[in-house]
């Protein structure tokens, strides 16, 4: 190709190396991505094509069934969007809300703030319902008052906020939303499989998560489910959608939810195959309750060991702690970010710091125990590493 001076623009090949040379396996104990089981990684091969009707159809069918099990729902419209969890949030907002619709958002961390921004970007009137402090949750009465006062079309609640480590109780919210003719959207990106979130029982209209969290799949898919009520609202929109890629009805057709095969975009087939394998592993456990209770037992073990080390957890009320992401307040004398880097460099263990200034960098650690990474062995490895990193740098 030539530029305006007539000289050819040539980009030389850069000195890239095969990733295997330097991407050594680390123990990922942040809020995701998590380590991926060999079985799951292997399942993404061999590639199949959406042009292969029988294998592709079976893959979609089984994956939808597996997701319905994990979400505990009978919803036909249960599938995975080719995106991060943020994409699934935006798809919901973009499909359900029209200009001027009222969108009630519960904010107890960064994810609520993000939903606020999305609502505004899509022309909704956004009403915010805030937790009293970072590390606290919103009271049931406040929800009822806000629903009665603002009569929203959609309410967003983040079940487990990975930035503050809070677990927002969901009981009663479905019934309240029904009473005020509002759709309930629950973000279970970080909470899935660490706290029960039975979609149909709780009366949730839109439930979403992301592949790289407790499902222990590579990042890139956002499982989501829509109730009949939510689909009806989408189908009865008065104004045209302001998104093409995130058109839920078209994506549902891409997943053959209506019994017909439709090409909307090329699906992340290798990721769907990996997700399918992860769902097989979940069905191999005796029950979802057993997975959750094991996860909780491991999380309580780590929480108490951290407290024995003299560390303080951000969420004061134990029942409001998100079991899959433990948020620790870094003692004042310690540079939390340096500790994270040392854990990674010397021990090959990753934990996370604050995200989105909640609270600022270096002042908290976020430790993820998501899905299969919730083991006592992983906790012990982290505790030993943490002790050896902290002893020379602090009074702990
Ligand atoms: C991302 O989901 C995070 O919590 O860091």
């Amino acid at each position: 190709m030539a530029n305006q001076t007539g000289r050819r623009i040539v980009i030389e090949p850069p000195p890239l190396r095969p990733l295997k040379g330097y991407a050594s396996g680390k123990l990922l104990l942040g809020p995701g991505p998590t380590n991926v089981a060999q079985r799951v990684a292997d399942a993404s091969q061999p590639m199949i094509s959406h042009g292969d009707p029988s294998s592709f159809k079976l893959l979609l069918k089984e994956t939808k069934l597996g997701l319905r099990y994990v979400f505990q729902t009978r919803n036909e419209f249960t599938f995975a969007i080719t995106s991060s969890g943020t994409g699934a949030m935006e798809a919901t907002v973009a499909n359900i809300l029209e200009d001027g619709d009222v969108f009630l958002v519960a904010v107890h961390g960064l994810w609520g703030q993000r939903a606020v921004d999305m609502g505004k970007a899509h022309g909704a009137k956004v009403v915010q319902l805030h937790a009293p402090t970072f590390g606290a949750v919103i009271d049931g009465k406040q929800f009822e008052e806000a629903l009665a006062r603002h009569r929203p079309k959609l309410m967003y609640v983040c079940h487990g906020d990975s930035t503050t480590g809070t677990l927002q109780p969901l009981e009663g919210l479905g019934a309240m939303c029904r009473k005020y003719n509002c759709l309930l959207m629950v973000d279970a990106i970080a909470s899935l499989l660490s706290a029960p979130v039975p979609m149909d029982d709780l009366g949730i209209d839109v439930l979403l998560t992301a592949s790289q969290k407790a499902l222990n799949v590579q990042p890139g898919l956002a499982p989501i489910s829509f109730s009949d009520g939510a689909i009806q609202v989408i189908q009865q929109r008065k104004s045209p959608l302001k998104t093409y890629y995130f058109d839920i009805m078209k994506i549902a057709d891409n997943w053959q939810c209506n019994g017909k095969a439709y090409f909307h975009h090329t699906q992340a087939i290798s990721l769907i195959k990996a997700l399918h394998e992860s769902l097989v592993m979940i069905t191999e456990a005796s029950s979802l309750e057993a997975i959750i209770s094991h996860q909780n037992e491991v999380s309580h073990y780590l929480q108490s060991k951290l407290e024995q080390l003299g560390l303080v957890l951000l969420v004061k009320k134990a029942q409001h702690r998100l079991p899959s992401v433990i948020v620790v307040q870094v003692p004042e004398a310690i540079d939390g970010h340096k500790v994270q880097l040392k854990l990674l460099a010397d021990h090959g263990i990753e934990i996370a710091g604050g995200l989105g200034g909640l609270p600022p960098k270096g002042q908290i650690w976020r430790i993820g125990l998501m899905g299969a990474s919730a083991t006592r062995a992983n906790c012990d490895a982290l505790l030993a590493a943490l002790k050896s990193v902290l002893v020379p740098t602090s009074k702990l």
Side-chain angles (χ1 to χ4, degrees):
M1 189 203 292
N3 68 8
Q4 280 159 350
T5 66
R7 247 181 284 143
R8 266 171 64 81
I9 298 170
V10 178
I11 312 294
E12 297 295 342
L16 303 183
R17 294 175 292 159
L19 277 178
K20 278 211 160 69
Y22 58 93
S24 60
K26 302 262 176 7
L27 177 56
L28 302 181
L29 295 181
T34 64
N35 293 101
V36 172
Q38 198 56 50
R39 247 180 99 166
V40 172
D42 289 347
S44 50
Q45 285 282 27
M47 181 55 71
I48 60 167
S49 161
H50 49 253
D52 170 352
S54 54
S55 327
F56 190 58
K57 191 171 175 181
L58 185 67
L59 173 67
L60 296 187
K61 183 174 163 221
E62 290 211 352
T63 306
K64 286 184 285 187
L65 286 175
L67 291 175
R68 279 158 68 164
Y69 169 62
V70 171
F71 284 169
Q72 289 291 289
T73 182
R74 294 201 175 99
N75 293 334
E76 279 296 327
F77 285 75
T78 305
F79 43 83
I81 301 179
T82 317
S83 77
S84 65
T86 301
M89 284 169 71
E90 181 148 25
T92 308
V93 167
N95 280 260
I96 291 181
L97 296 173
E98 301 186 56
D99 282 349
D101 282 343
V102 181
F103 181 33
L104 179 61
V105 179
V107 183
H108 57 105
L110 178 75
W111 306 112
Q113 292 180 349
R114 191 165 277 197
V116 167
D117 293 342
M118 283 177 189
K120 288 182 182 162
H122 287 277
K125 268 191 217 140
V126 182
V127 178
Q128 304 182 38
L129 192 56
H130 281 262
T133 54
F134 295 144
V137 297
I138 299 158
D139 188 65
K141 272 199 224 105
Q142 279 178 270
F143 282 104
E144 172 108 43
E145 278 163 20
L147 284 164
R149 179 150 167 234
H150 301 287
R151 301 296 173 129
K153 181 177 190 186
L154 178 68
M155 176 164 92
Y156 168 89
V157 181
C158 182
H159 186 208
D161 194 295
S162 62
T163 59
T164 51
T166 35
L167 183 71
Q168 174 66 50
L170 299 175
E171 287 69 26
L173 297 186
M176 266 182 224
C177 283
R178 286 294 155 280
K179 182 167 157 197
Y180 295 101
N181 197 24
C182 170
L183 294 173
L184 174 60
M185 162 186 185
V186 172
D187 170 344
I189 294 178
S191 63
L192 192 79
L193 299 178
S194 79
V197 58
M199 180 171 191
D200 290 358
D201 251 13
L202 289 173
I204 296 170
D205 292 290
V206 185
L207 183 63
L208 58 102
T209 191
S211 53
Q212 78 279 14
K213 307 284 186 181
L215 294 167
N216 304 124
V217 175
Q218 301 89 330
L221 284 180
I224 191 163
S225 180
F226 293 85
S227 68
D228 291 348
I231 292 298
Q232 220 173 48
V233 168
I234 294 172
Q235 285 175 325
Q236 289 169 358
R237 283 180 67 91
K238 291 188 193 71
S239 56
L241 275 182
K242 291 183 193 157
T243 174
Y244 180 86
Y245 188 78
F246 286 123
D247 182 332
I248 286 304
M249 300 312 294
K250 289 203 173 87
I251 296 174
D253 286 347
N254 218 21
W255 274 83
Q256 304 180 13
C257 289
N258 289 316
K260 56 180 176 193
Y262 169 80
F263 181 80
H264 174 252
H265 65 267
T266 304
Q267 304 247 41
I269 299 165
S270 39
L271 291 181
I272 299 174
K273 290 182 77 195
L275 172 62
H276 177 273
E277 189 66 17
S278 140
L279 293 167
V280 171
M281 288 169 76
I282 290 170
T283 58
E284 285 168 359
S286 58
S287 64
L288 290 179
E289 291 74 20
I291 295 176
I292 292 171
S293 101
H294 168 75
Q295 196 285 336
N296 284 209
E297 186 268 316
V298 173
S299 177
H300 292 145
Y301 171 75
L302 184 58
Q303 290 176 34
S304 67
K305 290 283 180 190
L306 291 166
E307 286 177 329
Q308 282 165 27
L309 278 180
L311 293 166
V312 175
L313 305 187
L314 182 74
V315 181
K316 301 296 169 256
K317 292 197 175 149
Q319 73 272 27
H320 295 155
R321 284 182 193 150
L322 171 62
S324 53
V325 184
I326 302 168
V327 179
V328 180
Q329 283 175 313
V330 176
E332 251 173 49
I334 294 176
D335 179 336
H337 189 58
K338 267 199 191 142
V339 170
Q340 274 173 251
L341 294 178
K342 226 170 148 37
L343 281 174
L344 196 58
D346 299 353
H347 301 271
I349 299 179
E350 184 194 71
I351 62 169
L355 189 66
L358 283 176
K361 194 171 166 184
Q363 294 183 11
I364 58 162
W365 292 314
R366 297 183 302 141
I367 303 172
L369 292 172
M370 309 196 113
S373 40
T375 66
R376 279 199 182 219
N378 282 351
C379 297
D380 290 340
L382 172 65
L383 288 162
L386 203 50
K387 278 186 207 159
S388 82
V389 171
L390 289 180
V391 166
T393 57
S394 79
K395 291 123 206 111
L396 280 179

